[in-house]
Amino acid sequence: MNNIQAILFDEQTIAEKVLEIADRISRDYAGKELVLVCILKGAVVFTADLMRRLTLSVTVEFVQAASYGASTSSSRTITIKKDLDIDIKGRHVLLVDTIVDTGETLERLFWKFAEREPASLQAVALLDKKSRRTIGIPIAYGGFVIPDKFVVGYGMDCGEKYRNLPYIAVINSEP
Ligand code: IMP
Ligand code: MG
């Protein structure tokens, strides 16, 4: 844990933001059934907290993307490593991610799912590195806008570690 530089958001701050986002979603989807799509692995913690704050009829699905090619180029290919278990045609679908960086992962998943003709399709992300965005993917529900620093915890990793931290911290990205 010696690479942790500073705590960016503590548990209380995260919990308050999650509740705020959940209230907006519950209001917008009132009377509808919602399919939450958790993007593995990073969104596991956020999805677990968010779903428990929603006052809606919710089902939860999981998707895992694998990306190939240069991490910042538009030639990067994203394939679905683990797909949904259900057909989302005619369903209200909300993609859940913890952090949006360039936006490419979310954008590619968004269009793959759009082809399946859901009744509606939106995205929620707790953290947004807005200055890094290369793609205009709309995030209907956003939490905190953060600077271009590498963060871990609350589901997010560095080399698969730190996902279990209950807070969000800035890490020294030097090995
Ligand atoms: P994008 O396709 O560039 O938006 O990358 C999004 C994915 O990269 C996220 O879902 C995370 O898995 C990962 N990621 C981006 N920034 C960070 C970070 O600061 N810490 C941990 N993971 C990150
Ligand atoms: Mg990662």
Side-chain angles (χ1 to χ4, degrees), residues 3 6 15 40 52-54 63 94 100-101 109 111 115 118 123 125 136 139:
N3 282 337
L40 295 171
R52 284 178 292 174
R53 293 298 195 175
L54 295 173
V63 68
L94 184 61
V100 186
D101 186 20
L109 285 177
W111 291 114
E115 286 169 7
I139 313 291

Side-chain angles (χ1 to χ4, degrees), residues 4-22:
I4 301 291
Q5 281 185 337
I7 294 179
L8 199 55
F9 302 111
D10 63 18
E11 283 187 74
Q12 181 65 29
T13 309
I14 297 169
E16 284 166 10
K17 185 57 81 178
V18 171
L19 181 57
E20 189 187 307
I21 296 170

Side-chain angles (χ1 to χ4, degrees), residues 76 97 99-105 129 149-151 156-157:
R76 185 160 66 146
D97 209 348
I99 186 162
V100 186
D101 186 20
T102 64
E104 288 175 18
T105 310
K129 283 191 196 173
K149 295 213 165 105
F150 201 81
V151 294
M156 294 172 291
D157 76 308

Side-chain angles (χ1 to χ4, degrees), residues 25-63:
I25 296 170
S26 294
R27 243 179 285 130
D28 291 354
Y29 291 87
K32 294 176 179 150
E33 288 199 1
L34 183 61
V35 180
L36 282 181
V37 175
C38 170
I39 302 176
L40 295 171
K41 301 176 186 172
V44 162
V45 179
F46 179 41
T47 304
D49 282 351
L50 183 70
M51 65 192 286
R52 284 178 292 174
R53 293 298 195 175
L54 295 173
T55 55
L56 298 166
S57 174
V58 159
T59 55
V60 65
E61 287 289 318
F62 298 89
V63 68

